[in-house]
Amino acid sequence: QVQLVESGGGLVQAGGSLRLSCAVHGRTVSGYDMGWFRQAPGKEREFVAAISWNGGSTYYADSVKGRFTISRDNANNMVHLQMNSLKPEDTAVYYCAAKPQSRLDMTARYAYNYWGQGTQVTVSS
């Protein structure tokens, strides 16, 4: 079965950086749109960033635009999220997700078929 495994989370001070990685097992990343979502305690899971199957298009939530960068490494079946200038409000569990190519909104949770277990990101002030 398809499995997505996130890594790279941790505890950092405000203004610091982290690079999250998502390894895909059981299939190739090629041909799938990939996204990152996050969920803070007591809140719903929200869209963070996405990248199209060919890497030609990227999408970002307004709250992270200019600070986060999503990229994909199809040769290694991985997707990354570079997070710079981190803020305490970025604290959440971050999830990697895979979306079969379709007309569904790439920022919507329901568009994604596969999800990782999540990795905790904590930003201290």
Side-chain angles (χ1 to χ4, degrees):
Q1 298 293 323
V2 175
Q3 183 179 16
L4 308 179
V5 181
E6 302 96 334
S7 62
L11 174 63
V12 298
Q13 294 184 4
S17 298
L18 282 175
R19 189 191 190 209
L20 304 184
S21 297
C22 173
V24 182
H25 303 278
R27 68 168 179 84
T28 177
V29 172
S30 301
Y32 289 83
D33 301 323
M34 300 295 296
W36 287 94
F37 292 75
R38 67 187 183 187
Q39 186 168 21
K43 297 184 178 180
E44 294 187 3
R45 193 169 301 185
E46 66 175 0
F47 170 77
V48 176
I51 186 168
S52 60
W53 68 274
N54 62 356
S57 299
T58 56
Y59 306 83
Y60 297 95
D62 289 341
S63 59
V64 307
K65 196 171 300 181
R67 299 188 297 121
F68 291 9
T69 302
I70 187 171
S71 62
R72 61 191 305 153
D73 180 3
N74 289 350
N76 291 295
N77 273 2
M78 299 190 75
V79 180
H80 305 284
L81 183 68
Q82 178 65 46
M83 306 186 295
N84 298 326
S85 301
L86 284 163
K87 305 174 181 179
E89 49 264 45
D90 294 319
T91 296
V93 176
Y94 283 70
Y95 297 89
C96 177
K99 168 186 173 294
Q101 186 177 355
S102 73
R103 295 182 182 272
L104 297 177
D105 184 2
M106 291 182 63
T107 69
R109 289 176 294 170
Y110 63 76
Y112 292 80
N113 291 50
Y114 309 102
W115 295 83
Q117 83 289 347
T119 185
Q120 177 70 48
V121 172
T122 302
V123 184
S124 62
S125 60

